[in-house]
Amino acid sequence: MILLDGKATAKSIRSELATQVAELTPKFGRAPGLAVILVGDDPASQVYVRNKERACAEVGIASFPHRLPAATTQEELEALIAALNADDTVDGILLQLPVPVCLDSRRCLELIHPDKDVDGFHPRNMGRLAQGLPGLQPCTPAGVIELLRRYDLPTQGKTAVVVGRSNIVGRPLSIMLSQPGRFGDATVTLCHSRTPDLPAKCREADFVFAAIGKPRFVTCDMVKDGAVVVDIGINRVDQCLVGDCDFKPLCAHAAAMTPVPGGIGPMTIAMLMKNAVQAYRKHVGAK
Ligand code: GUN
């Protein structure tokens, strides 16, 4: 079994981006800037945001953190987004999800200027993705495709099952896998909680992508021998991080698999850095 090492791959990507940023920064008189908004004190989000800030430092991106109290009002959050949209030193804006329930996250995500939408969640960017047009793409599914690319595991002509239909992962991933290209061109089945006989659907797949948010949901009996298994889940069980796949028993079946942690998580952050550099290039008019 090939272990798809997202941690090492993400490190290479950050290093490639750092080289690009070191060239561009003196040329355009400033570093790329990424604003990260964190509302409230969700412990998992605090860890993610810290990791994003660390990655920015490594790549040479200026990070502008905005840590807001849980009692922040919708008006205050909207005013901050408007100010960041207008700020010429900010190339990307990220609103860490989830936000406290009293805030309207959908409305806030739509207020982020599409050219600064480094998460690729704005309907304009999602629409462009669906139509195969260039734009900022959601980081987690982009990280999945990039990992397959770097290990040269093409999906072209293969069957792919995506388990989970979230706006952040499952649905955009299903779209990417169906786009033309060597790391697309798959026959995609998007499964969810209402899918009848989900194990049988998974067993037919050459590629299984697990993004359902349930610990060890994908088991041996759901994966055919020689399949590629990509685990996109992060679940906390008894103080441990476990994915959506039952990793150890699956090792005997899968041809290749991602670990959790150290798989798609670091790839997501690497793609965020890539999006920030892409947004900066467009903003400063670099080729
Ligand atoms: N929360 C969990 N995943 C993500 C992500 O990819 N982006 C943002 N902004 N929040 C998240």
Side-chain angles (χ1 to χ4, degrees):
M1 203 240 353
I2 302 166
L3 191 68
L4 304 174
D5 187 343
K7 192 175 171 188
T9 308
K11 192 172 180 203
S12 306
I13 294 169
R14 292 196 304 272
S15 154
E16 291 160 21
L17 290 170
T19 307
Q20 294 174 29
V21 169
E23 264 179 40
L24 291 165
T25 298
K27 206 157 145 191
F28 293 97
R30 68 171 179 86
L34 175 64
V36 179
I37 308 171
L38 173 59
V39 189
D41 42 25
D42 178 68
S45 291
Q46 287 178 355
V47 174
Y48 295 147
V49 164
R50 213 174 308 132
N51 288 340
K52 288 169 185 178
E53 286 169 351
R54 209 172 287 155
C56 279
E58 195 181 326
V59 171
I61 294 172
S63 69
F64 306 115
H66 293 269
R67 289 182 165 78
L68 308 180
T72 300
T73 65
Q74 181 73 21
E75 291 70 28
E76 286 166 339
L77 185 52
E78 289 185 12
L80 173 61
I81 292 170
L84 294 171
N85 278 339
D87 186 337
D88 255 347
T89 64
V90 171
D91 304 288
I93 304 169
L94 180 144
L95 175 61
Q96 184 65 33
L97 301 177
V99 293
V101 285
C102 53
L103 296 172
D104 184 344
S105 61
R106 187 180 292 264
R107 187 177 153 79
C108 291
L109 293 175
E110 285 197 35
L111 286 173
I112 294 173
H113 192 287
D115 288 343
K116 296 193 177 189
D117 169 38
V118 282
D119 256 330
F121 293 162
H122 192 283
R124 194 181 89 176
N125 285 319
M126 281 285 202
R128 293 182 69 84
L129 171 68
Q131 296 192 356
L133 299 170
L136 293 163
Q137 300 192 341
C139 303
T140 301
V144 170
I145 302 289
E146 187 60 27
L147 192 60
L148 295 179
R149 193 190 311 280
R150 299 229 172 193
Y151 277 87
D152 197 28
L153 293 167
T155 54
Q156 192 164 48
K158 306 286 188 185
T159 51
V161 164
V162 178
V163 186
R165 59 179 159 185
S166 69
N167 283 333
I168 294 184
V169 184
R171 187 166 289 108
L173 179 59
S174 71
I175 296 169
M176 288 177 190
L177 289 164
S178 72
Q179 298 289 4
R182 192 168 147 77
F183 298 91
D185 276 335
T187 302
V188 184
T189 305
L190 181 54
C191 296
H192 47 78
S193 54
R194 302 295 175 98
T195 300
D197 203 358
L198 190 144
K201 294 273 185 302
C202 292
R203 270 195 302 274
E204 289 170 11
D206 300 314
F207 286 78
V208 176
F209 300 91
I212 195 160
K214 292 185 181 162
R216 303 191 185 101
F217 181 84
V218 173
T219 47
C220 269
D221 59 312
M222 294 165 68
V223 173
K224 75 172 175 188
D225 276 346
V228 175
V229 179
V230 179
D231 192 342
I232 314 168
I234 304 184
N235 310 283
R236 205 168 283 272
V237 177
D238 304 330
Q239 319 288 347
C240 283
L241 288 182
V242 299
D244 288 357
C245 298
D246 199 9
F247 183 81
K248 267 200 192 132
L250 276 168
C251 286
H253 284 265
M257 192 160 53
T258 55
V260 174
I264 297 304
M267 290 300 293
T268 296
I269 297 185
M271 291 300 102
L272 174 67
M273 299 299 109
K274 181 166 173 265
N275 278 352
V277 175
Q278 182 182 322
Y280 165 80
R281 281 180 185 274
K282 185 168 179 190
H283 197 178
V284 298
K287 287 285 161 289

PDB file of all heavy atoms in Angstrom, residues 163-195:
ATOM      1  N   VAL A 163     -18.250  10.256  -0.619  1.00  0.00           N
ATOM      2  CA  VAL A 163     -19.214  10.049   0.465  1.00  0.00           C
ATOM      3  C   VAL A 163     -19.318  11.355   1.249  1.00  0.00           C
ATOM      4  O   VAL A 163     -18.364  11.760   1.922  1.00  0.00           O
ATOM      5  CB  VAL A 163     -18.787   8.885   1.389  1.00  0.00           C
ATOM      6  CG1 VAL A 163     -19.883   8.591   2.409  1.00  0.00           C
ATOM      7  CG2 VAL A 163     -18.472   7.630   0.579  1.00  0.00           C
ATOM      8  N   GLY A 164     -20.447  12.032   1.134  1.00  0.00           N
ATOM      9  CA  GLY A 164     -20.650  13.327   1.795  1.00  0.00           C
ATOM     10  C   GLY A 164     -20.846  14.419   0.760  1.00  0.00           C
ATOM     11  O   GLY A 164     -20.093  14.503  -0.207  1.00  0.00           O
ATOM     12  N   ARG A 165     -21.868  15.257   0.953  1.00  0.00           N
ATOM     13  CA  ARG A 165     -22.221  16.254  -0.071  1.00  0.00           C
ATOM     14  C   ARG A 165     -22.138  17.689   0.445  1.00  0.00           C
ATOM     15  O   ARG A 165     -22.906  18.559   0.027  1.00  0.00           O
ATOM     16  CB  ARG A 165     -23.630  15.969  -0.574  1.00  0.00           C
ATOM     17  CG  ARG A 165     -24.658  16.005   0.548  1.00  0.00           C
ATOM     18  CD  ARG A 165     -26.063  15.752   0.062  1.00  0.00           C
ATOM     19  NE  ARG A 165     -26.892  15.301   1.175  1.00  0.00           N
ATOM     20  CZ  ARG A 165     -28.146  14.907   1.051  1.00  0.00           C
ATOM     21  NH1 ARG A 165     -28.721  14.896  -0.123  1.00  0.00           N
ATOM     22  NH2 ARG A 165     -28.828  14.521   2.107  1.00  0.00           N
ATOM     23  N   SER A 166     -21.205  17.950   1.377  1.00  0.00           N
ATOM     24  CA  SER A 166     -21.107  19.304   1.939  1.00  0.00           C
ATOM     25  C   SER A 166     -20.669  20.300   0.864  1.00  0.00           C
ATOM     26  O   SER A 166     -20.017  19.938  -0.122  1.00  0.00           O
ATOM     27  CB  SER A 166     -20.090  19.325   3.078  1.00  0.00           C
ATOM     28  OG  SER A 166     -18.788  19.139   2.552  1.00  0.00           O
ATOM     29  N   ASN A 167     -21.028  21.577   1.099  1.00  0.00           N
ATOM     30  CA  ASN A 167     -20.617  22.637   0.176  1.00  0.00           C
ATOM     31  C   ASN A 167     -19.111  22.857   0.200  1.00  0.00           C
ATOM     32  O   ASN A 167     -18.525  23.356  -0.756  1.00  0.00           O
ATOM     33  CB  ASN A 167     -21.303  23.956   0.542  1.00  0.00           C
ATOM     34  CG  ASN A 167     -22.743  23.980   0.089  1.00  0.00           C
ATOM     35  OD1 ASN A 167     -23.105  23.299  -0.872  1.00  0.00           O
ATOM     36  ND2 ASN A 167     -23.574  24.724   0.788  1.00  0.00           N
ATOM     37  N   ILE A 168     -18.469  22.514   1.328  1.00  0.00           N
ATOM     38  CA  ILE A 168     -17.034  22.772   1.492  1.00  0.00           C
ATOM     39  C   ILE A 168     -16.209  21.678   0.825  1.00  0.00           C
ATOM     40  O   ILE A 168     -15.156  21.937   0.256  1.00  0.00           O
ATOM     41  CB  ILE A 168     -16.680  22.875   3.004  1.00  0.00           C
ATOM     42  CG1 ILE A 168     -17.337  24.106   3.630  1.00  0.00           C
ATOM     43  CG2 ILE A 168     -15.188  22.912   3.215  1.00  0.00           C
ATOM     44  CD1 ILE A 168     -16.969  24.338   5.088  1.00  0.00           C
ATOM     45  N   VAL A 169     -16.672  20.431   0.899  1.00  0.00           N
ATOM     46  CA  VAL A 169     -15.838  19.326   0.419  1.00  0.00           C
ATOM     47  C   VAL A 169     -16.534  18.453  -0.639  1.00  0.00           C
ATOM     48  O   VAL A 169     -16.149  18.442  -1.799  1.00  0.00           O
ATOM     49  CB  VAL A 169     -15.354  18.424   1.593  1.00  0.00           C
ATOM     50  CG1 VAL A 169     -14.402  17.350   1.050  1.00  0.00           C
ATOM     51  CG2 VAL A 169     -14.655  19.228   2.672  1.00  0.00           C
ATOM     52  N   GLY A 170     -17.540  17.701  -0.226  1.00  0.00           N
ATOM     53  CA  GLY A 170     -18.080  16.643  -1.087  1.00  0.00           C
ATOM     54  C   GLY A 170     -18.591  17.143  -2.429  1.00  0.00           C
ATOM     55  O   GLY A 170     -18.206  16.617  -3.479  1.00  0.00           O
ATOM     56  N   ARG A 171     -19.434  18.186  -2.393  1.00  0.00           N
ATOM     57  CA  ARG A 171     -20.008  18.630  -3.666  1.00  0.00           C
ATOM     58  C   ARG A 171     -18.961  19.222  -4.601  1.00  0.00           C
ATOM     59  O   ARG A 171     -18.879  18.802  -5.767  1.00  0.00           O
ATOM     60  CB  ARG A 171     -21.192  19.581  -3.443  1.00  0.00           C
ATOM     61  CG  ARG A 171     -21.884  19.896  -4.760  1.00  0.00           C
ATOM     62  CD  ARG A 171     -23.242  20.538  -4.607  1.00  0.00           C
ATOM     63  NE  ARG A 171     -24.243  19.628  -4.106  1.00  0.00           N
ATOM     64  CZ  ARG A 171     -24.769  19.668  -2.884  1.00  0.00           C
ATOM     65  NH1 ARG A 171     -24.374  20.586  -2.031  1.00  0.00           N
ATOM     66  NH2 ARG A 171     -25.679  18.809  -2.513  1.00  0.00           N
ATOM     67  N   PRO A 172     -18.113  20.180  -4.130  1.00  0.00           N
ATOM     68  CA  PRO A 172     -17.091  20.672  -5.065  1.00  0.00           C
ATOM     69  C   PRO A 172     -16.128  19.581  -5.532  1.00  0.00           C
ATOM     70  O   PRO A 172     -15.688  19.597  -6.689  1.00  0.00           O
ATOM     71  CB  PRO A 172     -16.360  21.781  -4.282  1.00  0.00           C
ATOM     72  CG  PRO A 172     -16.792  21.645  -2.860  1.00  0.00           C
ATOM     73  CD  PRO A 172     -18.118  20.958  -2.868  1.00  0.00           C
ATOM     74  N   LEU A 173     -15.808  18.615  -4.670  1.00  0.00           N
ATOM     75  CA  LEU A 173     -14.917  17.524  -5.092  1.00  0.00           C
ATOM     76  C   LEU A 173     -15.565  16.709  -6.209  1.00  0.00           C
ATOM     77  O   LEU A 173     -14.900  16.338  -7.187  1.00  0.00           O
ATOM     78  CB  LEU A 173     -14.571  16.621  -3.896  1.00  0.00           C
ATOM     79  CG  LEU A 173     -13.663  15.429  -4.201  1.00  0.00           C
ATOM     80  CD1 LEU A 173     -12.323  15.878  -4.792  1.00  0.00           C
ATOM     81  CD2 LEU A 173     -13.422  14.589  -2.942  1.00  0.00           C
ATOM     82  N   SER A 174     -16.862  16.457  -6.082  1.00  0.00           N
ATOM     83  CA  SER A 174     -17.550  15.677  -7.124  1.00  0.00           C
ATOM     84  C   SER A 174     -17.508  16.432  -8.457  1.00  0.00           C
ATOM     85  O   SER A 174     -17.371  15.819  -9.521  1.00  0.00           O
ATOM     86  CB  SER A 174     -18.991  15.364  -6.706  1.00  0.00           C
ATOM     87  OG  SER A 174     -19.786  16.530  -6.734  1.00  0.00           O
ATOM     88  N   ILE A 175     -17.584  17.753  -8.385  1.00  0.00           N
ATOM     89  CA  ILE A 175     -17.513  18.564  -9.617  1.00  0.00           C
ATOM     90  C   ILE A 175     -16.108  18.486 -10.227  1.00  0.00           C
ATOM     91  O   ILE A 175     -15.949  18.263 -11.423  1.00  0.00           O
ATOM     92  CB  ILE A 175     -17.909  20.031  -9.322  1.00  0.00           C
ATOM     93  CG1 ILE A 175     -19.372  20.115  -8.880  1.00  0.00           C
ATOM     94  CG2 ILE A 175     -17.654  20.922 -10.530  1.00  0.00           C
ATOM     95  CD1 ILE A 175     -19.777  21.466  -8.315  1.00  0.00           C
ATOM     96  N   MET A 176     -15.096  18.651  -9.369  1.00  0.00           N
ATOM     97  CA  MET A 176     -13.707  18.601  -9.885  1.00  0.00           C
ATOM     98  C   MET A 176     -13.417  17.265 -10.552  1.00  0.00           C
ATOM     99  O   MET A 176     -12.774  17.201 -11.603  1.00  0.00           O
ATOM    100  CB  MET A 176     -12.710  18.815  -8.735  1.00  0.00           C
ATOM    101  CG  MET A 176     -12.687  20.232  -8.223  1.00  0.00           C
ATOM    102  SD  MET A 176     -11.551  20.352  -6.824  1.00  0.00           S
ATOM    103  CE  MET A 176     -11.944  21.988  -6.249  1.00  0.00           C
ATOM    104  N   LEU A 177     -13.864  16.176  -9.914  1.00  0.00           N
ATOM    105  CA  LEU A 177     -13.572  14.840 -10.442  1.00  0.00           C
ATOM    106  C   LEU A 177     -14.274  14.583 -11.778  1.00  0.00           C
ATOM    107  O   LEU A 177     -13.866  13.705 -12.540  1.00  0.00           O
ATOM    108  CB  LEU A 177     -13.998  13.767  -9.428  1.00  0.00           C
ATOM    109  CG  LEU A 177     -13.130  13.671  -8.169  1.00  0.00           C
ATOM    110  CD1 LEU A 177     -13.847  12.875  -7.093  1.00  0.00           C
ATOM    111  CD2 LEU A 177     -11.779  13.027  -8.503  1.00  0.00           C
ATOM    112  N   SER A 178     -15.335  15.346 -12.030  1.00  0.00           N
ATOM    113  CA  SER A 178     -16.075  15.132 -13.282  1.00  0.00           C
ATOM    114  C   SER A 178     -15.606  16.061 -14.396  1.00  0.00           C
ATOM    115  O   SER A 178     -16.032  15.925 -15.538  1.00  0.00           O
ATOM    116  CB  SER A 178     -17.582  15.327 -13.036  1.00  0.00           C
ATOM    117  OG  SER A 178     -17.858  16.698 -12.842  1.00  0.00           O
ATOM    118  N   GLN A 179     -14.709  17.018 -14.070  1.00  0.00           N
ATOM    119  CA  GLN A 179     -14.195  17.928 -15.111  1.00  0.00           C
ATOM    120  C   GLN A 179     -13.256  17.171 -16.046  1.00  0.00           C
ATOM    121  O   GLN A 179     -12.631  16.197 -15.626  1.00  0.00           O
ATOM    122  CB  GLN A 179     -13.421  19.096 -14.479  1.00  0.00           C
ATOM    123  CG  GLN A 179     -14.240  19.995 -13.575  1.00  0.00           C
ATOM    124  CD  GLN A 179     -15.244  20.865 -14.306  1.00  0.00           C
ATOM    125  OE1 GLN A 179     -15.396  20.744 -15.521  1.00  0.00           O
ATOM    126  NE2 GLN A 179     -15.928  21.719 -13.581  1.00  0.00           N
ATOM    127  N   PRO A 180     -13.115  17.630 -17.282  1.00  0.00           N
ATOM    128  CA  PRO A 180     -12.166  16.974 -18.173  1.00  0.00           C
ATOM    129  C   PRO A 180     -10.735  17.050 -17.634  1.00  0.00           C
ATOM    130  O   PRO A 180     -10.390  18.025 -16.962  1.00  0.00           O
ATOM    131  CB  PRO A 180     -12.291  17.778 -19.476  1.00  0.00           C
ATOM    132  CG  PRO A 180     -13.580  18.512 -19.381  1.00  0.00           C
ATOM    133  CD  PRO A 180     -13.828  18.753 -17.929  1.00  0.00           C
ATOM    134  N   GLY A 181      -9.948  16.042 -17.892  1.00  0.00           N
ATOM    135  CA  GLY A 181      -8.527  16.063 -17.498  1.00  0.00           C
ATOM    136  C   GLY A 181      -8.101  14.740 -16.900  1.00  0.00           C
ATOM    137  O   GLY A 181      -8.921  13.909 -16.531  1.00  0.00           O
ATOM    138  N   ARG A 182      -6.768  14.591 -16.831  1.00  0.00           N
ATOM    139  CA  ARG A 182      -6.207  13.344 -16.311  1.00  0.00           C
ATOM    140  C   ARG A 182      -6.596  13.110 -14.851  1.00  0.00           C
ATOM    141  O   ARG A 182      -6.774  11.983 -14.417  1.00  0.00           O
ATOM    142  CB  ARG A 182      -4.684  13.464 -16.460  1.00  0.00           C
ATOM    143  CG  ARG A 182      -3.920  12.200 -16.257  1.00  0.00           C
ATOM    144  CD  ARG A 182      -2.473  12.418 -16.728  1.00  0.00           C
ATOM    145  NE  ARG A 182      -1.535  11.639 -15.940  1.00  0.00           N
ATOM    146  CZ  ARG A 182      -1.354  10.331 -16.088  1.00  0.00           C
ATOM    147  NH1 ARG A 182      -2.021   9.669 -16.991  1.00  0.00           N
ATOM    148  NH2 ARG A 182      -0.491   9.689 -15.319  1.00  0.00           N
ATOM    149  N   PHE A 183      -6.717  14.202 -14.083  1.00  0.00           N
ATOM    150  CA  PHE A 183      -7.113  14.085 -12.679  1.00  0.00           C
ATOM    151  C   PHE A 183      -8.570  14.536 -12.507  1.00  0.00           C
ATOM    152  O   PHE A 183      -8.948  15.129 -11.521  1.00  0.00           O
ATOM    153  CB  PHE A 183      -6.115  14.831 -11.786  1.00  0.00           C
ATOM    154  CG  PHE A 183      -4.763  14.211 -11.919  1.00  0.00           C
ATOM    155  CD1 PHE A 183      -3.854  14.674 -12.868  1.00  0.00           C
ATOM    156  CD2 PHE A 183      -4.427  13.089 -11.180  1.00  0.00           C
ATOM    157  CE1 PHE A 183      -2.622  14.058 -13.049  1.00  0.00           C
ATOM    158  CE2 PHE A 183      -3.203  12.470 -11.345  1.00  0.00           C
ATOM    159  CZ  PHE A 183      -2.298  12.951 -12.286  1.00  0.00           C
ATOM    160  N   GLY A 184      -9.353  14.274 -13.519  1.00  0.00           N
ATOM    161  CA  GLY A 184     -10.801  14.460 -13.555  1.00  0.00           C
ATOM    162  C   GLY A 184     -11.320  13.290 -14.356  1.00  0.00           C
ATOM    163  O   GLY A 184     -10.818  12.178 -14.197  1.00  0.00           O
ATOM    164  N   ASP A 185     -12.288  13.587 -15.247  1.00  0.00           N
ATOM    165  CA  ASP A 185     -12.785  12.551 -16.171  1.00  0.00           C
ATOM    166  C   ASP A 185     -13.177  11.255 -15.470  1.00  0.00           C
ATOM    167  O   ASP A 185     -13.060  10.169 -16.052  1.00  0.00           O
ATOM    168  CB  ASP A 185     -11.721  12.237 -17.249  1.00  0.00           C
ATOM    169  CG  ASP A 185     -11.785  13.215 -18.427  1.00  0.00           C
ATOM    170  OD1 ASP A 185     -12.870  13.784 -18.661  1.00  0.00           O
ATOM    171  OD2 ASP A 185     -10.756  13.415 -19.086  1.00  0.00           O
ATOM    172  N   ALA A 186     -13.618  11.370 -14.219  1.00  0.00           N
ATOM    173  CA  ALA A 186     -14.088  10.168 -13.508  1.00  0.00           C
ATOM    174  C   ALA A 186     -15.599  10.053 -13.677  1.00  0.00           C
ATOM    175  O   ALA A 186     -16.283  11.038 -13.974  1.00  0.00           O
ATOM    176  CB  ALA A 186     -13.739  10.265 -12.024  1.00  0.00           C
ATOM    177  N   THR A 187     -16.091   8.844 -13.525  1.00  0.00           N
ATOM    178  CA  THR A 187     -17.536   8.641 -13.433  1.00  0.00           C
ATOM    179  C   THR A 187     -17.876   8.711 -11.954  1.00  0.00           C
ATOM    180  O   THR A 187     -17.486   7.840 -11.176  1.00  0.00           O
ATOM    181  CB  THR A 187     -17.921   7.278 -14.040  1.00  0.00           C
ATOM    182  OG1 THR A 187     -17.460   7.267 -15.397  1.00  0.00           O
ATOM    183  CG2 THR A 187     -19.421   7.063 -13.988  1.00  0.00           C
ATOM    184  N   VAL A 188     -18.534   9.818 -11.578  1.00  0.00           N
ATOM    185  CA  VAL A 188     -18.638  10.165 -10.160  1.00  0.00           C
ATOM    186  C   VAL A 188     -20.013   9.827  -9.595  1.00  0.00           C
ATOM    187  O   VAL A 188     -21.035  10.165 -10.202  1.00  0.00           O
ATOM    188  CB  VAL A 188     -18.378  11.685  -9.956  1.00  0.00           C
ATOM    189  CG1 VAL A 188     -18.382  12.034  -8.473  1.00  0.00           C
ATOM    190  CG2 VAL A 188     -17.078  12.110 -10.602  1.00  0.00           C
ATOM    191  N   THR A 189     -20.023   9.192  -8.445  1.00  0.00           N
ATOM    192  CA  THR A 189     -21.259   9.000  -7.684  1.00  0.00           C
ATOM    193  C   THR A 189     -21.108   9.761  -6.373  1.00  0.00           C
ATOM    194  O   THR A 189     -20.139   9.545  -5.637  1.00  0.00           O
ATOM    195  CB  THR A 189     -21.482   7.496  -7.390  1.00  0.00           C
ATOM    196  OG1 THR A 189     -21.448   6.777  -8.628  1.00  0.00           O
ATOM    197  CG2 THR A 189     -22.826   7.267  -6.710  1.00  0.00           C
ATOM    198  N   LEU A 190     -22.038  10.673  -6.116  1.00  0.00           N
ATOM    199  CA  LEU A 190     -22.004  11.457  -4.869  1.00  0.00           C
ATOM    200  C   LEU A 190     -23.008  10.841  -3.896  1.00  0.00           C
ATOM    201  O   LEU A 190     -24.223  10.926  -4.119  1.00  0.00           O
ATOM    202  CB  LEU A 190     -22.346  12.920  -5.182  1.00  0.00           C
ATOM    203  CG  LEU A 190     -22.334  13.904  -4.015  1.00  0.00           C
ATOM    204  CD1 LEU A 190     -21.013  13.876  -3.264  1.00  0.00           C
ATOM    205  CD2 LEU A 190     -22.612  15.324  -4.513  1.00  0.00           C
ATOM    206  N   CYS A 191     -22.492  10.213  -2.855  1.00  0.00           N
ATOM    207  CA  CYS A 191     -23.353   9.510  -1.896  1.00  0.00           C
ATOM    208  C   CYS A 191     -23.568  10.358  -0.640  1.00  0.00           C
ATOM    209  O   CYS A 191     -22.733  11.209  -0.303  1.00  0.00           O
ATOM    210  CB  CYS A 191     -22.707   8.192  -1.485  1.00  0.00           C
ATOM    211  SG  CYS A 191     -22.539   7.029  -2.845  1.00  0.00           S
ATOM    212  N   HIS A 192     -24.664  10.105   0.052  1.00  0.00           N
ATOM    213  CA  HIS A 192     -25.002  10.870   1.257  1.00  0.00           C
ATOM    214  C   HIS A 192     -25.913  10.042   2.144  1.00  0.00           C
ATOM    215  O   HIS A 192     -26.139   8.852   1.871  1.00  0.00           O
ATOM    216  CB  HIS A 192     -25.639  12.211   0.859  1.00  0.00           C
ATOM    217  CG  HIS A 192     -26.695  12.069  -0.173  1.00  0.00           C
ATOM    218  ND1 HIS A 192     -27.959  11.627   0.126  1.00  0.00           N
ATOM    219  CD2 HIS A 192     -26.650  12.231  -1.515  1.00  0.00           C
ATOM    220  CE1 HIS A 192     -28.660  11.567  -0.980  1.00  0.00           C
ATOM    221  NE2 HIS A 192     -27.888  11.926  -2.007  1.00  0.00           N
ATOM    222  N   SER A 193     -26.454  10.693   3.161  1.00  0.00           N
ATOM    223  CA  SER A 193     -27.206   9.943   4.189  1.00  0.00           C
ATOM    224  C   SER A 193     -28.446   9.244   3.629  1.00  0.00           C
ATOM    225  O   SER A 193     -28.942   8.301   4.224  1.00  0.00           O
ATOM    226  CB  SER A 193     -27.616  10.892   5.311  1.00  0.00           C
ATOM    227  OG  SER A 193     -28.308  11.996   4.757  1.00  0.00           O
ATOM    228  N   ARG A 194     -28.950   9.673   2.483  1.00  0.00           N
ATOM    229  CA  ARG A 194     -30.152   9.047   1.905  1.00  0.00           C
ATOM    230  C   ARG A 194     -29.818   8.058   0.793  1.00  0.00           C
ATOM    231  O   ARG A 194     -30.706   7.627   0.066  1.00  0.00           O
ATOM    232  CB  ARG A 194     -31.101  10.124   1.366  1.00  0.00           C
ATOM    233  CG  ARG A 194     -31.557  11.143   2.385  1.00  0.00           C
ATOM    234  CD  ARG A 194     -32.394  10.466   3.463  1.00  0.00           C
ATOM    235  NE  ARG A 194     -32.738  11.419   4.511  1.00  0.00           N
ATOM    236  CZ  ARG A 194     -33.900  12.062   4.587  1.00  0.00           C
ATOM    237  NH1 ARG A 194     -34.817  11.849   3.690  1.00  0.00           N
ATOM    238  NH2 ARG A 194     -34.132  12.911   5.576  1.00  0.00           N
ATOM    239  N   THR A 195     -28.540   7.747   0.612  1.00  0.00           N
ATOM    240  CA  THR A 195     -28.158   6.801  -0.443  1.00  0.00           C
ATOM    241  C   THR A 195     -28.490   5.375   0.001  1.00  0.00           C
ATOM    242  O   THR A 195     -28.006   4.932   1.040  1.00  0.00           O
ATOM    243  CB  THR A 195     -26.642   6.903  -0.718  1.00  0.00           C
ATOM    244  OG1 THR A 195     -26.354   8.233  -1.141  1.00  0.00           O
ATOM    245  CG2 THR A 195     -26.215   5.931  -1.815  1.00  0.00           C
TER     246      THR A 195
END
